[in-house]
Amino acid sequence: EKGFMDNVLTSLADATTYLHEQGLRHVCYSPKTVFVRKGDNSALLLTHGSFYGGLSDQQAFYGDDARYVAPEVLNGGSIDDRCDIYSIGKFMLWLYDKSDLPLEYRPALKKAVSEAPEDRFDTPADMVKAIQKRRASFRSIITLVAGIISTVDCVGLYFEYFPATQP
C-alpha cells in the first residue's frame, strides 16, 4: 500500500518520542513487539524493555529477538534513546527484507544501525527528518533532470521545424 512504510516509520518515531518524554525506552522493536493497526497503519508497541533493564543477562531475556537490541544493551551498557534508534533501524530493515530498500532510506538506516551509539541519530525525529530531506533532494533532482530534458527537446524541435534562412 502506498505510504505504508512511511506511516509505520512516522508512527514508530512519534510513539518512541512520547516514550522518551516519559523516561521509557522500548529497547526491542522486534516483529513480536510491534503491531500495525489496520486502517491507519500506525504502530502499536507491546512491552517496553526499559522495565527489564535491571536484569543481569539481557541476551537470555531477549532470546531470538536479541538481533533487534542494540549491542551496548546486550553487553550490559546503558539504555538510552540511541538504543531505540538502533532497534527501529533493525525493524525497518526487517520490513524491507523481501523487497528493495528505497534510496532515501539506505543512508538513514545504515546510520541508525551503526554499532557505535555516538554514530546514530540522537532522536527518532532526526531519523525521519533525514529520510524526508533525502526524499526532497531526490525529487528536486528528478524535477531538474525533467526540466533539462524538456528544454533540450524544445530547442531540438525549434531547430528541426524552423529551417535556417538562406541569404
Side-chain angles (χ1 to χ4, degrees):
E1 183 177 321
K2 183 176 169 80
F4 174 78
M5 294 300 212
D6 292 331
N7 290 342
V8 170
L9 179 62
T10 303
S11 66
L12 275 177
D14 292 344
T16 303
T17 300
Y18 177 77
L19 287 174
H20 291 177
E21 290 169 355
Q22 305 305 313
L24 299 172
R25 307 298 176 268
H26 192 68
V27 182
C28 182
Y29 290 80
S30 79
K32 294 177 186 173
T33 64
V34 178
F35 301 98
V36 177
R37 185 181 311 153
K38 189 175 181 179
D40 65 351
N41 300 329
S42 61
L44 306 169
L45 302 174
L46 194 56
T47 58
H48 309 306
S50 60
F51 293 148
Y52 310 103
L55 295 176
S56 60
D57 191 0
Q58 294 288 319
Q59 181 77 34
F61 175 70
Y62 289 108
D64 293 338
D65 292 335
R67 66 177 181 236
Y68 298 99
V69 179
E72 66 270 15
V73 174
L74 295 175
N75 295 330
S78 66
I79 296 175
D80 63 1
D81 295 355
R82 292 175 295 184
C83 70
D84 278 350
I85 299 296
Y86 178 89
S87 191
I88 290 171
K90 284 292 193 177
F91 177 72
M92 292 303 292
L93 289 173
W94 176 81
L95 284 176
Y96 278 109
D97 189 39
K98 302 293 184 210
S99 64
D100 292 330
L101 188 63
L103 292 174
E104 63 265 20
Y105 277 82
R106 289 178 187 174
L109 293 183
K110 182 178 179 183
K111 183 175 180 175
V113 298
S114 176
E115 293 292 321
E118 57 274 359
D119 293 340
R120 299 180 200 139
F121 294 102
D122 292 327
T123 65
D126 291 343
M127 183 169 65
V128 172
K129 285 178 191 172
I131 291 169
Q132 291 171 342
K133 183 178 177 182
R134 185 128 171 135
R135 181 178 293 137
S137 297
F138 284 143
R139 287 182 182 156
S140 297
I141 290 170
I142 289 170
T143 303
L144 176 68
V145 169
I148 291 171
I149 290 172
S150 296
T151 304
V152 169
D153 282 347
C154 290
V155 170
L157 287 173
Y158 174 79
F159 286 114
E160 180 70 27
Y161 288 111
F162 294 105
T165 55
Q166 300 286 335

